[in-house]
Amino acid sequence: MPSPGHRSTSLRYIEDCCPRALDHYEAGVPYDRDVFQVGVAAHAVIEMVGKYPDQPREELAQQVAVALCTTGRSFEGEPEGPLRPQAATAGRDLALRFLAAHELSPSAKFEHGLAVDREWRPVPYDSPAVYYRAAIDMLEVVEETDEDGYATTTIVTTDWKSAWPTSPDELETLQLHGQAAVALAHYPDAQVLRRRAANLRTLAIFEADVYLDDSGLAQVATWRKDIDLLIAVAEHRSEDGTRPARAGATCIGCPYVSRCEPARTWLRGSLLDATPEAVATRLAVADAVRRELWEQAKELCGEGPVSIPGGEVGFLTVRERKPRPDIGEVLALAWFGAADPTTWREANHSTDQWIGLLQTLAIGVGSAEQVAKLLFPSGKGRDWRPLREALVSQCVVSQPATKFSIAKHSTPKEEANDEV
Ligand code: SF4
């Protein structure tokens, strides 16, 4: 780890994955960080615009984008490689769009580092005594006096989020709780802590206040305890000096799954170990690896399908079956055996209402097949197969679509079976 102490990014590995993931992080095990690049660029642009409000904004943003995709940036003292130009420009534009909608406070501090020691006392960000620290995207100290002359100091911590799904839930994350708790240590005389999460995509800003009376202070104390607990887990090591690995569903989304030895051990594990727990764990790890490879392959096979033994992988043209718009009505007519829709409608006055209901339920292809099976059950000597097929084809349309997939070339035997 480049600097002493813990921060939300490192503790999140314990929350979202397992303690061994933090070992991988600290050891600098490489993983695909492309997904963060747009956000990195947007943060950098907002920081510079905030720090130099008198400079022409577009020019400043362009300079930041150029620097990011030529020399790269350094994070917490560690140099990082240059960004992809597409990511830098996307981040630049995201930031400018957000800034056009939301002015930054001229008195705010940007990318402001605050740290505490083990007793949650304020210490300099680079102190060897740092226990927990937070780099706050935007920090403001707002002094207000109401008409009765009562003065209030509000500490506002704002976090920029470039993920589309950012919602008010973000306010209750370890990261934002940690920012508020560290801010309180540095501004103990404040009356209010306001934590904010800004969605750079939707331009929405979510916020929540803690009034620092007894109940508010107890709330912040709970957040500190939550962080203390995660730090205790982070500081616990096995006899061999590593943190414990807990392979399983924890591996899904872990950025180290392809390079993690405990996860690989599960994949290589003896197939004779067929206890329910062993098979379930192996399946979860395999699924985690599959998901990671799937995303990686999508990225790498974008230029065209790649031939592999027995088939190909990539964006392939496939036939896709979709429900027709009137699927609900077709199935209803078939179900009630209504040969003539007009007569049937006249005889059943509520028909339109519950056909409307069926349409609203978004009946899928599988449901049409299920109804066809029930109406035309298989049996010797009956013409159930063409009847089923006719009903399904009335409900379903087959059209070409491009889908990322793995195609296995048919063997002559399989082709022969297909024709049966
Ligand atoms: S891959 Fe699984 S076992 Fe390995 S660090 Fe990640 S969560 Fe832990």
Side-chain angles (χ1 to χ4, degrees):
M1 191 156 44
S3 311
H6 300 270
R7 56 198 179 91
S8 63
T9 310
S10 51
L11 297 183
R12 203 179 296 137
Y13 286 109
I14 292 176
E15 269 199 319
D16 296 347
C17 307
C18 83
R20 181 63 61 86
L22 186 51
D23 281 357
H24 297 318
Y25 169 70
E26 289 178 0
V29 173
Y31 69 93
D32 184 7
R33 294 178 57 84
D34 273 13
V35 66
F36 302 119
Q37 290 196 357
V38 173
V40 165
H43 274 71
V45 169
I46 298 177
E47 178 188 355
M48 293 308 276
V49 170
K51 283 181 174 170
Y52 302 98
D54 299 330
Q55 299 289 320
R57 190 175 287 179
E58 267 77 14
E59 274 178 39
L60 201 53
Q62 179 66 5
Q63 285 167 16
V64 172
V66 170
L68 286 173
C69 51
T70 50
T71 52
R73 69 158 189 170
S74 134
F75 180 67
E76 299 268 331
E78 291 289 305
E80 292 182 355
L83 304 192
R84 284 181 294 111
Q86 300 93 318
T89 52
R92 175 200 63 196
D93 296 346
L94 195 61
L96 288 174
R97 190 169 147 269
F98 180 81
L99 292 169
H102 297 283
E103 281 303 318
L104 301 175
S105 162
S107 62
K109 295 174 182 166
F110 296 87
E111 295 299 322
H112 189 64
L114 294 180
V116 291
D117 68 7
R118 201 166 277 275
E119 309 304 323
W120 286 86
R121 293 174 301 211
V123 290
Y125 199 64
D126 55 357
S127 161
V130 170
Y131 168 70
Y132 186 74
R133 64 206 152 91
I136 298 168
D137 290 341
M138 184 169 81
L139 180 93
E140 295 167 82
V141 179
V142 180
E143 309 275 6
E144 287 166 318
T145 305
D146 68 15
E147 30 190 57
D148 299 326
Y150 184 75
T152 309
T153 302
T154 302
I155 308 300
V156 186
T157 54
T158 304
D159 205 56
W160 318 123
K161 293 288 171 198
S162 56
W164 276 106
T166 300
S167 69
D169 293 349
E170 193 66 38
L171 300 169
E172 309 307 334
T173 56
L174 163 80
Q175 183 187 20
L176 268 70
H177 287 173
Q179 289 182 359
V182 172
L184 177 60
H186 283 260
Y187 297 92
D189 297 329
Q191 282 78 47
V192 182
L193 288 178
R194 177 167 302 149
R195 51 195 197 284
R196 304 200 314 160
N199 185 326
L200 301 181
R201 308 266 178 191
T202 63
L203 310 181
I205 294 183
F206 309 104
E207 62 180 42
D209 287 352
V210 176
Y211 293 90
L212 296 167
D213 51 15
D214 287 349
S215 134
L217 289 170
Q219 176 71 77
V220 180
T222 303
W223 295 343
R224 286 181 185 165
K225 281 186 199 157
D226 294 345
I227 293 170
D228 287 339
L229 188 145
L230 284 171
I231 292 179
V233 175
E235 293 182 347
H236 173 74
R237 290 171 189 270
S238 311
E239 279 180 7
D240 65 1
T242 60
R243 295 183 175 92
R246 284 203 299 270
T250 44
C251 301
I252 295 172
C254 175
Y256 302 108
V257 68
S258 314
R259 298 175 181 86
C260 174
E261 197 45 42
R264 291 156 84 121
T265 302
W266 270 103
L267 286 180
R268 287 195 302 263
S270 166
L271 293 176
L272 295 177
D273 183 1
T275 60
E277 290 76 17
V279 172
T281 304
R282 199 175 299 128
L283 174 65
V285 176
D287 189 43
V289 173
R290 179 190 179 279
R291 290 178 196 221
E292 188 181 276
L293 288 175
W294 191 264
E295 290 310 314
Q296 197 182 354
K298 260 168 111 171
E299 206 46 45
L300 294 174
C301 301
E303 299 292 316
V306 173
S307 291
I308 56 171
E312 54 185 348
V313 175
F315 290 91
L316 306 169
T317 303
V318 294
R319 299 295 301 179
E320 197 173 62
R321 297 198 308 154
K322 289 196 154 187
R324 290 182 190 271
D326 59 349
I327 184 170
E329 183 168 0
V330 172
L331 287 177
L333 291 171
W335 186 262
F336 291 104
D340 177 0
T342 312
T343 322
W344 185 61
R345 273 176 193 280
E346 282 166 6
N348 298 277
H349 296 300
S350 57
T351 302
D352 285 339
Q353 283 173 330
W354 53 264
I355 283 185
L357 173 65
L358 288 177
Q359 293 298 120
T360 310
L361 290 174
I363 298 168
V365 175
S367 304
E369 288 173 336
Q370 191 59 26
V371 171
K373 266 188 201 168
L374 288 170
L375 286 176
F376 309 112
S378 60
K380 228 176 178 181
R382 295 183 54 189
D383 52 0
W384 55 272
R385 193 191 291 267
L387 289 170
R388 263 191 209 178
E389 288 173 355
L391 178 58
V392 172
S393 71
Q394 272 183 283
C395 299
V396 172
V397 61
S398 169
Q399 57 193 29
T402 305
K403 254 184 144 176
F404 185 80
S405 44
I406 306 169
K408 184 180 175 186
H409 293 152
S410 306
T411 61
K413 192 173 157 203
E414 284 168 340
E415 277 166 12
N417 285 340
D418 283 350
E419 284 164 15
V420 171

